[in-house]
Structures are given as C-alpha cells and as structure tokens.
C-alpha cells in the first residue's frame, strides 16, 4: 500500500534540500518525478543531482507565482509524462526581518511564494485528479503554521494560511477522492541552516543550535531524510482516509514546554 508505482508526482522547488529529498523518496517508492525550478541553471543542477541517485526525472523552469506559467507547466507535463497524481507544494522562501522594519513588498513576496503559489498549483492539478478519480496534494507547512517567532511575521502568516488552505482543499475535494495533507517540518539540517549549527571557536554550540536542541525532545536537528517516510505515506494509498491533516515532523518540539531553568 506504500507503493507509488505508476504514479506521476510534481514537486515544486524539487531540485535541492527538502524538495529534492522528497523527490528521491517518491522516486524510490516507484513514482515518476517531475520538478520545477525558477531558472535553467537550477534545473540542470537538479537533473544532475537526481541522476547521481540513479533517478531519471523531468525538470522544468516555471514561476509558481504566475498562474499562466503554472497552467502551461501542468499541460506540458500532461503531454510529456501524463496526468499528475501527486503534487508536493514545496517551493518557499523566508525573509527574517522585524515586522516594523519589513516592507509591504517583502511581506507580499513571501505570501506570494509560500501561500498563493500552492493555491495556484493546486488549482491547476485538481481537474486532472478529478478526471483520474484520485489525487494527493502535500503542502509543506511549518511549525510556524502553529507558532510565532521574532522576525518571521510574513512566513508565519503564509504557513498558517497554508494550513487552512490544506483543510479547505480537503473539505472541498475530499468527495472527489483527493486527499490534501501537510507536512510541518521542524528545524531541519540543510545548507541554509549550516551556519546556525557551526561550532564556536571555543568548541561550544552556536547559541541558536543550543536553543533548538534544548527545545527538541529528540535532542537533535531533523534531516531531510526524516521527511521522506511521511511524504511517501501521504502520497500513497496508505493514507487514503487521512485528509486535512498536518503531520508535524519536528522531533517533538510542539509537544514540549521545555525544561525548567
């Protein structure tokens, strides 16, 4: 029931980091994987990265905030590969700026990529899923779908909105045998977070690293591989009666109040 043989998956921003790990996981479970990037150089790097894993993929350049471009992307995948069974709305950005210093333009950009784009992409694939009689949409949410933190007002607003978009897609299209769920990663060790995990000159942990470890019952950062199993589950028939759910993969942070000082 976890097999994805015969399924076609589109992963937005699937050339690196979390999107790439999920793409590899879905491919190894049997899916044919397509991904998009914002430019040709990223597309080529992504294809090469998948090739190094022994995976043939279909890479495309498309701006997920542009509805016309997304419609053309989905149509091209349909012509070249087939109708999309699985959509992973992974593409995202964050701008860490104090709210009172953040411009409306920066706030809007985060909302456009992290919330409007998943709406556009989901809207584009749902008709094909209805035609096939089934579909899986996985939105990459965040702990910031539940919690706030300094400097991430736009990101938290977008991810909170994405949580509710997930539930509404479930509500509106569950009767068409479409399951829409979210994955909420905790703090994941990636190249982007590497500076926050570097040892200090005296050998101690970076202060933010210390903070995260102290708040995580698992006692570590997550890895991109930690997200593969949840993604395969939500993409497969194993989750056919799971809908509108956010699966937090956070090492227990959201369950934990923290140690007494």
């Amino acid at each position: 029931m976890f097999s994805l043989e015969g399924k076609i998956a589109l992963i937005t921003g699937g050339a690196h980091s979390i999107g790439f790990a999920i793409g590899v996981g879905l491919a190894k479970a049997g899916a044919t994987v397509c991904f998009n990037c914002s430019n040709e150089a990223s597309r080529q790097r992504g294809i090469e990265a998948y090739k190094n894993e022994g995976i043939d993929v279909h890479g495309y350049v498309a701006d997920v905030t542009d509805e016309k471009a997304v419609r053309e992307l989905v149509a091209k995948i349909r012509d070249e590969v087939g109708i999309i069974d699985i959509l992973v709305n992974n593409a995202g950005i964050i701008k860490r700026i104090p709210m009172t210093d953040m411009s409306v333009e920066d706030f809007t950009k985060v909302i456009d990529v992290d919330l409007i784009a998943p709406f556009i992409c989901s809207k584009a694939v749902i008709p094909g899923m209805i035609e096939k009689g089934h579909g899986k949409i996985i939105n990459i949410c965040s702990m910031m779908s539940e919690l706030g933190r300094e400097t991430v007002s736009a990101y938290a607003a977008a991810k909170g909105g994405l949580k509710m978009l997930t539930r509404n897609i479930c509500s509106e299209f569950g009767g068409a045998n479409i399951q829409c769920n979210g994955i909420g990663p905790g703090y994941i060790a990636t190249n982007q977070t590497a500076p926050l995990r570097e040892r200090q000159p005296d050998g101690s942990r970076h202060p933010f690293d210390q903070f995260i470890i102290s708040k995580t019952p698992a006692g570590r950062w997550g890895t991109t591989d930690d997200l593969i199993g949840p993604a395969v589950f939500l993409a497969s028939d194993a989750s056919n009666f799971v809908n509108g759910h956010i699966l937090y993969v956070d090492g227990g942070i959201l369950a934990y109040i923290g140690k007494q000082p």
Side-chain angles (χ1 to χ4, degrees):
M1 68 173 61
F2 293 94
S3 172
L4 300 181
E5 291 291 338
K7 305 295 186 183
I8 296 168
L10 169 61
I11 302 163
T12 67
H16 59 89
S17 194
I18 289 173
F20 174 73
I22 289 175
V24 169
L26 298 188
K28 290 186 176 180
T32 298
V33 171
C34 308
F35 72 90
N36 85 289
C37 290
S38 59
N39 60 73
E40 179 61 23
S42 292
R43 187 186 80 89
Q44 290 292 343
R45 285 195 297 270
I47 289 173
E48 190 64 29
Y50 280 100
K51 186 181 294 185
N52 290 339
E53 295 285 338
I55 297 167
D56 291 325
V57 294
H58 303 266
Y60 301 87
V61 175
D63 178 358
V64 289
T65 67
D66 181 331
E67 186 170 12
K68 180 174 181 291
V70 170
R71 285 200 306 265
E72 292 173 350
L73 169 65
V74 171
K76 191 170 185 180
I77 291 172
R78 181 174 184 143
D79 290 342
E80 296 180 355
V81 188
I83 298 175
I84 293 165
D85 300 282
I86 302 158
L87 169 67
V88 182
N89 282 311
N90 167 75
I93 61 171
I94 188 170
K95 292 182 180 290
R96 295 182 177 88
I97 304 170
M99 182 174 168
T100 52
D101 296 333
M102 180 174 250
S103 68
V104 171
E105 291 77 14
D106 279 337
F107 189 93
T108 301
K109 179 64 174 176
V110 175
I111 298 294
D112 282 347
V113 176
D114 293 1
L115 178 57
I116 305 299
F119 165 76
I120 290 171
C121 293
S122 299
K123 180 182 174 184
V125 304
I126 284 171
M129 292 177 173
I130 292 173
E131 180 182 340
K132 292 190 83 169
H134 68 264
K136 302 282 187 174
I137 298 174
I138 303 171
N139 292 325
I140 303 303
C141 297
S142 166
M143 289 190 305
M144 298 301 113
S145 299
E146 300 289 344
L147 301 172
R149 193 171 177 275
E150 299 85 352
T151 76
V152 294
S153 58
Y155 185 77
K159 293 300 186 179
L162 186 58
K163 174 183 72 175
M164 294 311 300
L165 178 63
T166 300
R167 291 176 176 173
N168 203 78
I169 292 172
C170 156
S171 301
E172 194 162 350
F173 298 103
N177 195 28
I178 294 172
Q179 291 84 51
C180 181
N181 294 288
I183 293 176
Y187 284 90
I188 304 297
T190 65
N191 289 339
Q192 291 174 316
T193 60
L196 301 174
R197 292 176 282 107
E198 288 181 350
R199 289 285 176 173
Q200 302 302 287
D202 63 359
S204 64
R205 291 182 180 272
H206 187 287
F208 191 79
D209 187 18
Q210 292 178 358
F211 168 70
I212 294 305
I213 295 301
S214 72
K215 292 293 184 181
T216 307
R220 65 174 178 87
W221 288 63
T223 69
T224 55
D225 283 354
D226 287 322
L227 302 171
I228 293 174
V232 170
F233 166 65
L234 292 177
S236 72
D237 289 346
S239 61
N240 281 350
F241 204 57
V242 178
N243 212 350
H245 176 73
I246 312 300
L247 175 53
Y248 290 100
V249 186
D250 65 356
I253 291 178
L254 287 175
Y256 186 46
I257 196 171
K259 294 180 180 178
Q260 182 178 340

